[in-house]
Amino acid sequence: GQQLNQSPQSMFIQEGEDVSMNCTSSSIFNTWLWYKQDPGEGPVLLIALYKAGELTSNGRLTAQFGITRKDSFLNISASIPSDVGIYFCAGLLIQGAQKLVFGQGTRLTINP
Amino acid sequence: DARVTQTPRHKVTEMGQEVTMRCQPILGHNTVFWYRQTMMQGLELLAYFRNRAPLDDSGMPKDRFSAEMPDATLATLKIQPSEPRDSAVYFCASGLQGGTEAFFGQGTRLTVV
């Protein structure tokens, strides 16, 4: 089946540092989504990308939809303690029904 | 504040018992998803519905799992009989047909002992 390879699996950084994570796939996606999950909660949508090459920002978050449609990255600038959590990429396939495929997640830990 | 509501939030049950999890999608959303999250497998799609009809349940073990939408405001996921390997967090999410975004509930943490 389709798989998204998300990296890194975990990150330990100092408050104030920038963060970068990415997802790659062997399949082509027509939409990329980035979610964040806090402990005990469901994933919450951060950014949605709909077009190859698209670069979208949401506050300190920036995400890009790769030109090949097979990858996406998420950057967080000037990290703060509330950025702690698990970040998931998700892709929507071009063909088939409205099924999101999720990456394995990047667990972000921030040292104050 | 529109949100997906799941009940119960936590469930501990003995192996062999029936478990029913409920979900109220966001009003107006006609697509409902059930996901299971474990440390080993991450987020797995179990099933999803559009306009109350099942579109894909290929991710769901058919022998013990069943998913239904009795009406547009209620989706259920049932496990009978439950097994320890079913222990996980089960998420319901809803969205709009033609849309790409899925909005998640807070999940039901199931522990089968």
Side-chain angles (χ1 to χ4, degrees):
Chain A
Q2 296 82 17
Q3 276 191 312
L4 291 184
N5 300 309
Q6 187 171 349
S7 64
Q9 290 188 337
S10 60
M11 301 183 74
F12 298 84
I13 63 170
Q14 297 293 124
E15 183 178 350
E17 287 185 11
D18 296 344
V19 173
S20 184
M21 60 192 78
N22 69 83
C23 271
T24 61
S25 174
S26 57
S27 300
I28 292 175
F29 291 93
N30 68 352
T31 299
W32 283 91
L33 306 174
W34 284 92
Y35 284 84
K36 182 194 177 199
Q37 185 177 23
D38 291 325
E41 301 290 330
V44 174
L45 183 65
L46 298 174
I47 289 181
L49 301 158
Y50 301 104
K51 200 165 59 172
E54 180 181 355
L55 183 72
T56 297
S57 294
N58 178 6
R60 293 176 298 104
L61 277 59
T62 302
Q64 184 158 31
F65 191 150
I67 280 291
T68 64
R69 294 179 174 266
K70 295 183 178 180
D71 63 319
S72 177
F73 73 73
L74 174 71
N75 288 340
I76 306 172
S77 63
S79 58
I80 60 177
S82 61
D83 292 334
V84 165
I86 304 176
Y87 292 80
F88 292 97
C89 62
L92 188 66
L93 292 169
I94 282 183
Q95 298 195 2
Q98 189 180 345
K99 292 172 64 170
L100 283 176
V101 178
F102 279 84
Q104 291 293 89
T106 296
R107 183 180 295 272
L108 179 62
T109 303
I110 298 176
N111 300 314
Chain B
D1 184 23
R3 63 180 67 188
V4 175
T5 304
Q6 288 185 249
T7 57
R9 291 292 311 277
H10 303 273
K11 176 73 176 178
V12 180
T13 190
E14 290 185 346
M15 181 173 64
Q17 296 297 307
E18 177 179 300
V19 174
T20 298
M21 290 167 271
R22 293 177 172 80
C23 168
Q24 181 177 355
I26 293 173
L27 189 65
H29 283 187
N30 64 348
T31 306
V32 174
F33 307 84
W34 282 105
Y35 284 89
R36 177 171 62 187
Q37 185 177 38
T38 61
M39 288 293 291
M40 294 301 295
Q41 300 297 327
L43 275 162
E44 302 174 278
L45 180 65
L46 296 175
Y48 79 103
F49 292 75
R50 179 162 299 146
N51 297 323
R52 297 175 56 198
L55 282 192
D56 188 337
D57 60 2
S58 59
M60 202 165 65
K62 301 291 190 307
D63 56 337
R64 298 182 299 107
F65 284 60
S66 61
E68 296 179 344
M69 281 201 73
D71 61 61
T73 64
L74 177 64
T76 63
L77 179 66
K78 189 176 297 186
I79 308 174
Q80 167 64 21
S82 57
E83 297 180 2
R85 59 180 168 150
D86 300 329
S87 298
V89 181
Y90 291 81
F91 286 104
C92 173
S94 71
L96 290 168
Q97 180 177 357
T100 54
E101 301 165 14
F103 297 86
F104 284 77
Q106 291 181 297
T108 294
R109 181 174 294 277
L110 174 65
T111 303
V112 183
V113 298

